[in-house]
Amino acid sequence: MRSLFGFGKAEETPASPMASEKAAKDAQTAAGDSEPAIPPVFDCAVSDGPLQEIKALSADEQQVLERIKAEIPELIADLPPIDEEAKKFADETVPLDIEGWLTDECIARYVRARKGVYEDTKKALRKSIEWRAATRPHALRPDVVEIESRTGKMYFNGFDKLSRPVIYMYNHRQNTKEPDNQIRWVVYTLELCIRHMRPGVEKVTLAIDATNWGFSNSVSIGTAKKFLDILSNHYPERLGRAVVFVPPKLFVGFYSLVSPFIDPVTKAKVAFVKPNDPAPAQSENSSSPWIAIEECFARDSLEKDCYGSWAFQYNHQAYWKAVEDEFTQTKTALLDKQS
């Protein structure tokens, strides 16, 4: 069995001549052999537009949050050092800054994810704090994951109608086979998105081009499970919407088979779009995943490669310069904060 939204193992045989031609064109664009590059958008323009509503804590959940806050010194005591494996991939000079990570909003996400159960929330937070101390996800070096970005198979660029960072996913651009580094690139991208969320925004949106989806370019169940474990354990309440563009019949059929086993909260976040077709009429209580593209995106801020009208095309040189500059700025800000 394969993952629905996997970043894929490198495809050994193209799914179709059309997919092969598209991949070749994308590779040429990514390498920089194209028109002058449009820089990526990492910062959200201030607007009066709506934000995704964040569920307020109940009175009982608020009490759990306050109790957790009172125990922060205990939660962050005796942290493990960075592990030997992580030293190969992280910049150890970047401060850990657990106190800066452990905000009221962060604790509230864990409270909601653990259904307001105090012991479960405290245990989950400590587990994430130890994980961040040992693996330093915020300090992953750009050069480690640069290979994963060369073809533009997955990257953060711009924002949806609710000001949530958008992560574009193009499975047919897959270029690597090493699952651990693929997961590091996902983690790097999540951390990058989180750093650039405007106040009041806590979630990301996935824009998934499924035009050339197939089992041959989906990750193994083991890799998918590892990624989902990291997402649910260490980035709870971070997924806002996963929008799948032009899903083929095979994809829709596979989703129909597995959807009964997907958590209802997660399932409600999955949406399918055919950009040139109106969304089917739905009753208020409809469980259909089909939506109109305008429900989530403004077309002029959605990439043309993902059926919008924004002329952005992935250019690796331009994108990676922005990533490296952002990492340097983030590191400098954390060092200044520590001094």
Side-chain angles (χ1 to χ4, degrees), residues 94-97 138 329-339:
V94 177
L96 181 56
D97 192 33
H138 67 298
Q329 292 164 9
T330 298
K331 176 179 175 178
T332 300
L334 285 172
L335 288 169
D336 289 346
K337 180 181 177 181
Q338 187 183 57
S339 62

Side-chain angles (χ1 to χ4, degrees), residues 54 57 65 68-69 72 75-76 97-114 121-122 124-126 128-129 132 191 194 201-202 233-238:
I54 299 172
L57 297 182
L65 182 145
I68 293 288
K69 285 175 63 178
I72 284 178
L75 272 174
I76 65 176
D97 192 33
I98 286 294
E99 294 90 342
W101 174 81
L102 201 56
T103 62
D104 284 8
E105 293 80 9
C106 173
I107 298 171
R109 286 191 296 274
Y110 280 78
V111 171
R112 288 192 295 268
R114 297 301 179 263
T121 303
K122 183 178 179 181
L125 272 168
R126 176 64 187 189
S128 286
I129 290 168
R132 295 188 72 85
E191 293 282 334
I194 291 166
V201 175
E202 297 189 355
N233 289 326
H234 306 306
Y235 297 93
E237 300 285 306
R238 285 299 195 184

Side-chain angles (χ1 to χ4, degrees), residues 105-223:
E105 293 80 9
C106 173
I107 298 171
R109 286 191 296 274
Y110 280 78
V111 171
R112 288 192 295 268
R114 297 301 179 263
K115 313 299 183 188
V117 178
Y118 164 74
E119 288 295 343
D120 291 350
T121 303
K122 183 178 179 181
K123 185 183 298 183
L125 272 168
R126 176 64 187 189
K127 183 178 180 180
S128 286
I129 290 168
E130 290 179 348
W131 177 76
R132 295 188 72 85
T135 65
R136 308 296 172 95
H138 67 298
L140 280 169
R141 301 196 319 272
D143 65 283
V144 169
V145 292
E146 185 266 341
I147 189 173
E148 302 295 337
S149 179
R150 288 180 189 173
T151 58
K153 65 187 176 191
M154 186 204 75
Y155 54 92
F156 158 44
N157 186 29
F159 301 82
D160 71 4
K161 291 180 79 170
L162 297 179
S163 296
R164 297 175 297 204
V166 176
I167 298 175
Y168 289 91
M169 298 169 62
Y170 299 97
N171 276 13
H172 64 277
R173 299 179 184 177
Q174 182 53 254
N175 65 319
T176 63
K177 295 184 179 181
E178 211 287 294
D180 287 343
N181 211 48
Q182 290 175 349
I183 290 173
R184 278 189 284 272
W185 177 227
V186 176
V187 169
Y188 190 104
T189 302
L190 282 171
E191 293 282 334
L192 178 61
C193 287
I194 291 166
R195 289 197 291 267
H196 290 270
M197 288 177 178
R198 57 175 288 192
V201 175
E202 297 189 355
K203 300 177 186 290
V204 301
T205 289
L206 307 182
I208 304 162
D209 176 16
T211 309
N212 301 300
W213 180 86
F215 288 106
S216 61
N217 58 18
S218 296
V219 296
S220 69
I221 192 65
T223 302

